[in-house]
Amino acid sequence: MRSAYEAGLTKAYGRLPDGYVVLPCSVADTVVADVTAEKTRIEEEKRLANAEIQRQVALSASTVPAPGRGFFSGERITWTILAVILAGGLFMGWRFIKRRAKTAG
């Protein structure tokens, strides 16, 4: 392991860095254990992320579109109903004013 590490340092820097110290086995074992634990944690996060992506894909594939809300949900019919209500209101207002003009005159 040490020779592979030193080969990597030599490849990266062209030589071993100044102040390079060979760690005793007790420290190296701790570093290896930490790196292994970190690698395991990252792999678990990737596995969970992939599982979540698969769940989302399955959920979107199984999603049934919402049923239509019927005739009165369309934009055209809504504006038509509003126009009829407005026309009725204008007609009733015009009749009211005409009747008031007859009784006042």
Side-chain angles (χ1 to χ4, degrees):
M1 180 182 279
R2 185 178 73 190
S3 61
Y5 178 69
E6 288 175 353
L9 286 175
T10 304
K11 185 177 179 182
Y13 298 107
R15 59 182 173 79
L16 290 177
D18 296 332
Y20 173 72
V21 178
V22 177
L23 297 174
C25 287
S26 60
V27 175
D29 290 340
T30 305
V31 170
V32 169
D34 289 345
V35 169
T36 304
E38 183 69 15
K39 181 180 175 187
T40 304
R41 183 189 65 79
I42 291 171
E43 288 172 352
E44 181 65 17
E45 285 179 1
K46 284 182 183 178
R47 188 188 65 75
L48 290 174
N50 287 337
E52 179 63 22
I53 290 170
Q54 289 175 353
R55 187 184 72 79
Q56 290 292 335
V57 168
L59 183 65
S60 66
S62 68
T63 302
V64 177
R69 295 187 299 183
F71 179 71
F72 293 103
S73 66
E75 184 176 325
R76 186 176 301 173
I77 192 67
T78 301
W79 285 110
T80 303
I81 291 171
L82 288 174
V84 168
I85 291 171
L86 178 63
L90 289 174
F91 179 72
M92 295 299 286
W94 176 72
R95 284 189 58 201
F96 177 75
I97 291 171
K98 192 174 176 182
R99 194 177 321 159
R100 292 280 281 184
K102 268 188 185 177
T103 57

